[in-house]
Amino acid sequence: MMTLGFVLHPAHSESTTLFLEAKNYLEANGCQSVQLLAEEKSTSIWTGEHHWQAGPDDPVVDAVVCLGGDGTMLRAMASAHRQGVPALGVNLGQLGYLTEVEPADMITALGSILAGEFSVEERLALVARFQVGDGIQSVIAFNEVVVERQVSGHVIRGDVSLGGQRFLRYEADGLIIATPTGSTAYNLSARGPIVAPQLQAIILTPLSPHMLFDRSLVLAIDQEVGFHLDRGPNASVMVDGQVVHSLMPPDSVTISAHPKPVRLIRVADVPFYDIVKRKFRLNEPQSSAGETYGA
């Protein structure tokens, strides 16, 4: 008897249709209960009978299923990580690096979960720490932590430390500190490296650096990354696309590996680089000039 929690895209009508389909299938196959977990920014939890305001703890489940895109999947991963259970993504978005299953295959995937015919892949999570008042606040990231300028036309300036030792002074539009999972997100847009998500590494990529050294660094997970903002303007700290804090000189933020990984359900043995090829359409014929035939 399993309990599966669902996180839905808040504005995608297909997610509701798929949820009802999943609910009927699971309840017909002995699932103890099916509950709709609140997204991080949502307050509503569906129980089959009532709605109520989400408290600090989600209902206890055996696994979390996301019906949405990569953004919704990040919220589902947060719920799963808190409870120490795995998460499965059903792709309703554009890219779908995190959401493995297509809508047409959802019922088959749910059947595999009920039968225990799946594997679990562990992914690195990060934790960002910064001072708020007299205390230290921490926020967990699954894709990346970004320290970024708040004012257009200006750069942020400050020292980066690695493992507690000063490394280099950066002047840039921002800094991305990413997990291997997040290497195909903002890091990729900044021309950072694509890193296999199973690896244990932290990726540091500058955004439009105003300096000669403009390379990404791939670091061991025991290398805590620190950034000390010593000159204005202020900078924003974003975690998985959400602004969580504002840095003012001489504030600092530190980013390190979280001791607990996030766990993703795999129902098909699809190599990561096959996913990359599909998302970038690298399986299509390429001309000598690098253009895709038939485009």
Side-chain angles (χ1 to χ4, degrees), residues 163-180:
Q165 300 294 318
R166 183 183 182 278
F167 170 64
L168 194 64
R169 178 179 173 80
Y170 277 80
E171 296 190 9
D173 288 357
L175 295 171
I176 301 171
I177 302 93
T179 64

Side-chain angles (χ1 to χ4, degrees), residues 216-269:
S216 295
L217 297 173
V218 180
L219 309 168
I221 61 169
D222 62 352
Q223 296 292 298
E224 180 182 82
V225 178
F227 178 73
H228 173 71
L229 183 69
D230 60 8
R231 291 179 58 188
N234 297 347
S236 294
V237 179
M238 295 191 297
V239 171
D240 292 341
Q242 303 294 319
V243 176
V244 298
H245 188 60
S246 180
L247 297 179
M248 299 178 290
D251 289 347
S252 299
V253 59
T254 60
I255 301 96
S256 57
H258 194 283
K260 185 174 74 173
V262 62
R263 303 162 63 210
L264 301 184
I265 291 174
R266 293 292 177 232
V267 294
D269 187 17

Side-chain angles (χ1 to χ4, degrees), residues 6-10 37-42 58 64-83 85-93 95-100 123-126 139-146 177-187 238-242 262-264:
F6 282 74
V7 175
L8 276 63
H9 189 290
L37 301 181
E39 285 201 62
E40 295 297 283
K41 296 188 295 182
S42 176
D58 290 323
V64 175
V65 180
C66 165
L67 303 177
D70 283 343
T72 309
M73 184 62 177
L74 288 170
R75 311 285 84 79
M77 289 162 67
S79 291
H81 187 262
R82 280 195 299 273
Q83 297 197 43
V85 300
L88 173 74
V90 179
N91 182 35
L92 298 179
L95 290 176
Y97 283 106
L98 299 175
T99 49
E100 173 185 303
R123 301 281 187 91
L124 177 72
L126 299 176
V139 184
I140 299 173
F142 304 107
N143 265 355
E144 76 275 305
V145 178
V146 180
I177 302 93
T179 64
T181 299
S183 70
T184 52
Y186 199 176
N187 171 74
M238 295 191 297
V239 171
D240 292 341
Q242 303 294 319
V262 62
R263 303 162 63 210
L264 301 184

Side-chain angles (χ1 to χ4, degrees), residues 92-213:
L92 298 179
Q94 297 297 316
L95 290 176
Y97 283 106
L98 299 175
T99 49
E100 173 185 303
V101 176
E102 294 302 319
D105 301 320
M106 179 188 69
I107 295 300
T108 300
L110 293 177
S112 296
I113 293 176
L114 295 185
E117 298 173 350
F118 62 92
S119 60
V120 174
E121 183 177 287
E122 293 189 342
R123 301 281 187 91
L124 177 72
L126 299 176
V127 57
R129 297 181 176 89
F130 40 81
Q131 189 161 355
V132 176
D134 295 330
I136 299 296
Q137 181 174 335
S138 62
V139 184
I140 299 173
F142 304 107
N143 265 355
E144 76 275 305
V145 178
V146 180
V147 183
E148 197 166 29
R149 67 182 185 180
Q150 292 183 351
V151 180
S152 178
H154 294 264
V155 297
I156 59 173
R157 297 178 174 88
D159 288 337
V160 167
S161 62
L162 304 177
Q165 300 294 318
R166 183 183 182 278
F167 170 64
L168 194 64
R169 178 179 173 80
Y170 277 80
E171 296 190 9
D173 288 357
L175 295 171
I176 301 171
I177 302 93
T179 64
T181 299
S183 70
T184 52
Y186 199 176
N187 171 74
L188 181 63
S189 300
R191 304 190 66 82
I194 295 176
V195 178
Q198 300 88 346
L199 294 180
Q200 299 291 290
I202 298 173
I203 305 141
L204 172 63
T205 298
L207 287 169
S208 302
H210 294 239
M211 50 196 292
L212 291 178
F213 183 74

